[in-house]
Amino acid sequence: MRNKLAAAGVTGALADTLSDRLYRLANDAGMFAQADHDPAPALSALTKPVLAVYGTADTQVPPAESAAELRRTVTAPLTVRFLPGAGHTLRVLDEDGMYTDTLFPGYAEIVGEWVRAVAAGNVPPAHADPAPGQAALSSSLAPSAWWESWPAQLTVLAVLLVTFLAYPVIAAARRFRRRTVEVTRPARVLAGVGVLAVLGFTGYFVTVVDSADWRGISPARCSPGGRCSGWRCRSSP
């Protein structure tokens, strides 16, 4: 996530929230059922030749770090190749930054030559291209404090929402009973702004999290010549 954020030019508190706090919260909520799975035993048990091809511009799966893990665990004949400038899907991007069906130049040739060699019984010797640079390495997340847990977060939002909504509800009930109610403008403004703040925060949080899709982080980031439409970029007419 830190590499995706860095590639999108997102820094500051938002970067810390999306790369650290968000994933601790999601893990506590059970959204990563296999977060503690260790793939090393399965990788080390491989006996067939392995070809790993990464794009140097891949922010979904950091190429340098991932290739290093394969070289550390795979004992079978391993070939690691890097395609300069290629992204996660190893396909060409269009003007809108969307992946097309066209394979990135050189990808098909790398796979084809390797497959033909292995099929002919000429297993390529272990080889690894020089690893590209990587902005940040993966790190273990610190355990969440009790007040960072998802029940605590939901409780706070619920309490705030109920508190702000209580004012107009009570006022309406008293009017219904024909009791005199003195409603001041600051109180009405506070109640209204409070409700909008809670709902607005929730909507903003969900929208920003959803922007971390397979294309990478996209909030408020437009390519040259494009125009922003919501959280996406579209080509100018």
Side-chain angles (χ1 to χ4, degrees):
M1 180 58 73
R2 288 191 179 277
N3 282 280
K4 292 170 71 175
L5 291 165
V10 179
T11 59
L14 180 59
D16 292 335
T17 297
L18 287 177
S19 61
D20 183 87
R21 298 179 182 88
L22 170 63
Y23 284 95
R24 284 193 288 168
L25 181 66
N27 187 52
D28 291 343
M31 296 178 65
F32 294 105
Q34 299 180 342
D36 297 323
H37 171 68
D38 182 11
L43 291 173
S44 61
L46 291 173
T47 57
K48 301 296 184 180
V50 177
L51 170 65
V53 184
Y54 296 95
T56 60
D58 187 353
T59 55
Q60 183 74 18
V61 177
E65 187 175 358
S66 300
E69 287 297 319
L70 289 184
R71 296 181 64 185
R72 183 179 64 84
T73 55
V74 175
T75 58
L78 172 65
T79 301
V80 179
R81 300 296 306 274
F82 296 100
L83 282 174
H88 180 61
T89 67
L90 299 176
R91 289 181 291 164
V92 176
L93 296 174
D94 61 18
E95 295 180 354
D96 294 333
M98 299 294 291
Y99 286 109
T100 65
D101 293 331
T102 303
L103 296 177
F104 200 85
Y107 176 41
E109 289 76 11
I110 289 176
V111 175
E113 291 175 4
W114 186 88
V115 169
R116 284 192 291 269
V118 172
N122 302 319
V123 178
H127 168 79
D129 291 344
Q134 186 174 320
L137 297 177
S138 300
S139 58
S140 299
L141 297 178
S144 299
W146 68 266
W147 49 268
E148 293 179 304
S149 65
W150 68 270
Q153 300 290 328
L154 288 181
T155 299
V156 170
L157 289 176
V159 169
L160 288 173
L161 188 60
V162 170
T163 301
F164 288 122
L165 286 175
Y167 181 85
V169 171
I170 293 174
R174 289 182 175 179
R175 286 184 177 180
F176 179 76
R177 295 179 180 180
R178 297 181 179 179
R179 294 182 180 180
T180 302
V181 180
E182 182 179 353
V183 180
T184 62
R185 180 178 179 82
R188 292 197 299 266
V189 171
L190 177 60
V193 171
V195 172
L196 292 177
V198 174
L199 298 179
F201 165 78
T202 303
Y204 172 76
F205 180 79
V206 172
T207 304
V208 171
V209 171
D210 182 64
S211 70
D213 57 12
W214 58 275
R215 285 183 55 199
I217 303 297
S218 57
R221 179 172 181 257
C222 290
S223 57
R227 61 181 177 83
C228 288
S229 176
W231 294 94
R232 307 289 184 187
C233 279
R234 298 291 183 264
S235 295
S236 298

